[in-house]
Amino acid sequence: MCGIVGLLLKNRALRPQLGELMVPMLIGMTERGPDSSGMAVFTDRVAVGDRKISLYCKERNFAWPSFEGLLRQHHGVSRCEIKVNHCIVTTDSDPQQVREWLAREFPAVHVLSVGRSIDLYKDVGLPAAVADRYAFKRLSGTHVVGHTRMATESAVTPENAHPYTAGEDWCLVHNGSLANPGSIRRKLEKLGSRFESDCDTEGACRYLHWRIQSGDTLETALEHAFEDFDGFFTFLMGTENKLAVVRDPFACKPAVVAETDDYVAIASEFRSLAHLPGVKHAELFEPKPAEVYSWTVQ
Amino acid sequence: MDGAVNASSRSVVFDLARQELRDLNKFLHGDLRGVGSVTVENPDGANSIAVGINAPVMVEVNGHAGYYVAGMNQGGTVVVHGNAGPGCAENMMSGRVEVTGFASGGAGASAHGGLLVIRGDAGLRCGISLKGGDIVVGGDVGSFSGFMAQAGRMVVCGSAGEGLGDSIYEAVIYVRGTVTALGSDARLEPMGEDDLRVVGKLLADAGMSHLPSEFKRIASAKTLYHWNADANLTY
């Protein structure tokens, strides 16, 4: 079992409150996922030549200030925000070069996400504890994809927590499990994908990203996924300007959507939406199986 | 802690914004003599509201309910003024459960008796393994509804998805709209006098007004009732 939550703000005036609205949604799904949780927050885009890179280090005593010093010496860094054991860097260096430099010089530092819009946080612990640790309440932005995890097929570790990312400004969270993650993984590894965890969801995330990079739309990529994924899933996905949800053809895992003029909110269960302003008058529905629903930031 | 008792009308209010769900359910499992009705305010999608009722009590839930609302109901009347999560009225024994909005997957699963009324749509697997209960759905039902249903009746005023009545036993399904696909061993049968009477009665009980003659009957072709060695695993 796991919990998924997503929120896209249509009303610009609410964007500074994105975190404040989202945290109760995340905490509402604690019973579905008490092991770990995470959030991908999509903010206003940085400049065309810049990229934001979200970093994570498992070591609690990692010397982030000296890391920042060395990072700034070797790469063009305009912002470096350290939050506990996460760090969000804005750089005009090639993200691939930064990645390679990190792998060489700081192998304990993992890249969680890259993009012009996405910031990513994930860690083990109760959702309330993770939300406090990284001050999720203070986050602002256009949309957010969150997850609470109850591990079923891989260990409880920060790297096995969701959201997963691939490429730039793309993330996915998953409620459910896949029975053929190994074959998906082997297929993608042959095509050059590098995996960083042993969670089945990483395969789903990289598979869909690979299809979209190969020319599919999200809809056609998911059509292929219905053929190639053996298992059950509700996926919630974020791109720099979209929030999308899909349930497997048997709709094994729940999802409910609340839409108002101000926002679109998605959660595994309504109890994560009950606190949202105006939800009593929201249009409520459950996504139909095997149908792709997406909303675009205006 | 008990809810606030209104002495004159013998009605009790539980406000889940400040009272525990567990206290509501404990109250419902206690001595309910003299209690006419229980109102649940601010359910906010909580799971397992009013499960295990075993008395002719009236419970009104003012808002959306989560998983298993009114599960195992025996003799109670539960009205959800809103939507219900997965497994509403699952394993109901008797009584009545009504959902004014939509119900998620597995509504009325395994119900042995009683009547479940869903005014909106029901999700997938509505009435799965039905064991004698009756279900009336004002809107559509999702795929795999009535799967392995053993006894009881389902009346669907809208349409049904795929795999309707797959491997059904003695239960009967009536559908007014279209059926995307029948499940294995389910077949359309002509509506008889008894069917028209049953559908008319259930629609009246549910407070819905359609002509019984607009419904189709779906029941078991009974080809799966006995082992067929010649089928060569082609079921």
Side-chain angles (χ1 to χ4, degrees), chain B residues 98-157:
Chain B
E98 184 172 337
V99 177
T100 63
F102 65 77
S104 187
S110 260
H112 290 243
L115 174 65
L116 169 62
V117 177
I118 298 160
R119 302 219 166 268
D121 295 334
L124 286 84
R125 298 174 279 276
C126 181
I128 182 172
S129 194
L130 192 66
K131 291 182 170 70
D134 292 321
I135 302 176
V136 180
V137 179
D140 301 337
V141 293
S143 296
F144 320 115
S145 289
F147 176 65
M148 291 186 87
Q150 293 134 62
R153 287 82 52 104
M154 285 179 67
V155 175
V156 180
C157 300

Side-chain angles (χ1 to χ4, degrees), chain A residues 32 249-252 254 269-271 274 284-286 289, chain B residues 42 44-47 64 67 83 102 104-105 124-125 144:
Chain A
R32 294 187 72 92
F250 290 87
C252 288
E269 300 176 34
F270 177 76
R271 59 185 164 142
L284 285 177
F285 66 94
E286 294 192 328
Chain B
N42 296 306
D44 287 351
N47 295 339
H64 307 306
Y67 278 78
N83 306 321
F102 65 77
S104 187
L124 286 84
R125 298 174 279 276
F144 320 115

Side-chain angles (χ1 to χ4, degrees), chain A residues 57 59-70 82 84 106 109:
Chain A
C57 182
E59 293 164 20
R60 292 280 169 194
N61 302 322
F62 184 71
W64 285 103
S66 64
F67 167 82
E68 180 181 350
L70 286 163
I82 298 160
V84 198
F106 293 98
V109 174

